[in-house]
Amino acid sequence: MIPYGKQDITQADIDAVVNVLKSDFLTQGPQVPAFERALMDSTAVNHALAVNSATSALHIACLALELGAGDTLWTTPVTFVASANCGLYCGASVNFVDIDPATYNLCPVALKEKLIRAKKEDVLPKVLVAVHLCGQPCDMKAIHALSIEYGFKVIEDASHAIGGRYLEQPIGSCEYSDITVFSFHPVKIVTTAEGGAALTNSKALADKMALYRSHGITRDEALMENASHGGWYYEQVDLGFNYRMTELQAALGVSQMRRLSEFVSARHELAVRYYNKLASLPIVLPYQLPNTYSGLHLYVIRLNLNEISKTHKEVFDELRENGIGVNLHYIPVHLQPYYQKMGFKQGDFPNAESYYDNAISLPMFHGMTHEQQDDVISTLEMILS
């Protein structure tokens, strides 16, 4: 089976992890700060906090922005559930903005229309999570302008997008957002096995997230309420969580970050081959927003079902039966049973639902050979013929 995504681990990665195993630190040592520095260097951002998952990063980002009971978080329906769940973790309510049918990202036009209505009803969001689906950046300049006009904070969920660029700026620079979140799950562009990070240019937000990452505990006397009792002393000054990244994960991340450009360039080479070889099939190929460079975590096609004698499910199933490990990213969050119990229903976000009706993620990963890719292409051609 050719998977839709997988990690690429070299001997250098293995050696980096083994060196940590032989060291004095398995957690809270020098590798986590080194990984954070690598993230800052690659994005030109001022602060980076490594954590144990992107979900944890989203959670502490929301907490740092003081999202809570009585507030609302907006995001796209076409994303992994964590992009919405992070609002619920904070006691806030969640709502969605429909997608742009070309980019599959949150639509700035739909956002503005929804904000106009929300202002009249006095239900404006406190936080917006803009998800860079597949690695394609959202139209962040338009979203940022609306955030200034309507007074909400912006988190970029860039779980798919490390190594990408928007208007010549690296994704993660937080040029148009308060906080950016990355994921380092094994199928992502860079992996730490499990892991994530929250990046920001605000020291105040970074300090808050650092507390939330580690039980709300500090050894910084400037943040303590009492005078230190000695070198052993610490204080819990807030309610935090155990969201720390281990030294093993960080060492792998440091090693992987050295190949970030290589990883993304290889994905772009594969994307060009897909584009050239699939252009004549009854499918919609990915669109790229001008002045952007995608991280290309995923390569999503959409079936022109009115030109195909098979259903969406039949095409998907036949691809898998022929050894092509396709997937679908994602089931719209508002159609999940948990969210439907909140009142969301079929028909609420038609562009997202239309996307779900015909989208398929083709295999895309560093290390994918041309022979494997040609197998994907020929199998798809056979099924659609």
Side-chain angles (χ1 to χ4, degrees):
M1 179 75 75
I2 301 172
Y4 84 85
K6 62 176 291 190
Q7 68 273 17
D8 186 89
I9 302 298
T10 65
Q11 188 60 49
D13 295 331
I14 295 168
D15 291 344
V17 174
V18 170
N19 287 339
V20 170
L21 288 169
K22 294 178 178 178
S23 76
D24 293 333
F25 298 97
L26 296 185
T27 186
Q28 294 181 282
Q31 290 301 314
V32 170
F35 181 49
E36 291 170 339
R37 172 50 59 190
L39 294 172
M40 288 186 279
D41 288 346
S42 73
T43 59
V45 79
N46 291 338
H47 306 279
L49 293 99
V51 290
N52 60 2
S53 72
T55 301
S56 299
L58 285 166
H59 187 193
I60 64 173
C62 288
L63 290 171
L65 294 172
E66 300 182 353
L67 184 73
D71 297 327
T72 304
L73 176 147
W74 288 6
T75 190
T76 170
V78 180
T79 183
F80 186 57
V81 293
S83 307
N85 289 350
C86 59
L88 302 182
Y89 298 157
C90 299
S93 60
V94 171
N95 209 328
F96 302 95
V97 179
D98 210 352
I99 64 169
D100 180 322
T103 66
Y104 316 145
N105 282 331
L106 185 148
C107 177
V109 175
L111 174 61
K112 183 170 185 177
E113 292 172 352
K114 188 159 187 156
L115 286 166
I116 291 170
R117 296 194 301 270
K119 185 174 183 179
K120 290 178 181 177
E121 299 168 8
D122 195 25
V123 289
L124 286 168
K126 185 165 187 176
V127 172
L128 178 88
V129 177
V131 180
H132 302 325
L133 189 71
C134 307
Q136 156 106 275
C138 294
D139 188 349
M140 292 306 303
K141 191 172 183 180
I143 290 170
H144 178 258
L146 290 170
S147 77
I148 300 300
E149 182 177 356
Y150 289 92
F152 57 86
K153 300 297 185 181
V154 178
I155 297 172
E156 292 178 74
D157 185 343
S159 294
H160 294 182
I162 191 169
R165 294 191 298 273
Y166 175 76
L167 301 181
E168 301 307 317
Q169 294 295 317
I171 294 172
S173 69
C174 295
E175 179 77 17
Y176 298 103
S177 65
D178 298 279
I179 299 170
T180 299
V181 167
F182 288 139
S183 171
F184 307 113
H185 183 276
V187 298
K188 298 302 196 306
I189 297 162
V190 163
T191 187
T192 59
E194 286 281 3
L199 286 69
T200 183
N201 286 316
S202 165
K203 184 178 185 303
L205 290 177
D207 288 345
K208 286 182 181 180
M209 291 191 289
L211 280 175
Y212 290 129
R213 171 177 65 175
S214 190
H215 303 283
I217 285 174
T218 184
R219 293 181 182 273
D220 183 349
E221 291 190 40
L223 299 178
M224 293 180 184
E225 296 186 10
N226 303 296
S228 174
H229 299 176
W232 66 87
Y233 190 69
Y234 62 85
E235 285 186 353
Q236 181 183 344
V237 296
D238 209 329
L239 180 62
F241 306 86
N242 185 3
Y243 284 168
R244 294 188 301 266
M245 176 178 279
T246 70
E247 287 287 280
L248 299 170
Q249 293 168 294
L252 177 57
V254 170
S255 181
Q256 289 261 303
M257 283 294 292
R258 297 187 182 112
R259 294 191 289 150
L260 176 58
S261 294
E262 173 192 330
F263 287 152
V264 179
S265 294
R267 290 170 180 270
H268 276 265
E269 181 192 344
L270 291 169
V272 169
R273 292 188 85 248
Y274 268 143
Y275 187 86
N276 290 335
K277 291 174 176 283
L278 296 176
S280 63
L281 296 182
I283 60 177
V284 177
L285 295 171
Y287 166 80
Q288 189 65 39
L289 194 69
N291 298 314
T292 65
Y293 180 74
S294 177
L296 273 173
H297 165 52
L298 299 171
Y299 193 89
V300 173
I301 62 167
R302 297 181 67 180
L303 305 176
N304 290 327
L305 292 171
N306 60 332
E307 302 176 28
I308 300 169
S309 61
K310 296 174 181 175
T311 66
H312 183 210
K313 183 177 184 301
E314 285 171 340
V315 173
F316 185 95
D317 289 346
E318 288 185 35
L319 282 164
R320 284 203 168 178
E321 289 163 5
N322 282 275
I324 311 301
V326 291
N327 213 327
L328 203 167
H329 299 86
Y330 294 93
I331 304 168
V333 179
H334 73 285
L335 298 182
Q336 294 291 348
Y338 188 83
Y339 280 84
Q340 292 202 313
K341 290 173 185 173
M342 299 177 194
F344 296 106
K345 61 186 183 303
Q346 188 87 29
D348 282 347
F349 305 101
N351 289 342
E353 292 164 24
S354 175
Y355 167 90
Y356 175 60
D357 286 342
N358 56 28
I360 294 178
S361 300
L362 297 183
M364 167 73 79
F365 53 91
H366 184 266
M368 184 180 189
T369 66
H370 288 177
E371 290 75 19
Q372 287 176 313
Q373 189 178 28
D374 289 342
D375 192 14
V376 174
I377 293 164
S378 61
T379 303
L380 184 61
E381 288 173 336
M382 175 192 71
I383 292 168
L384 297 181
S385 64

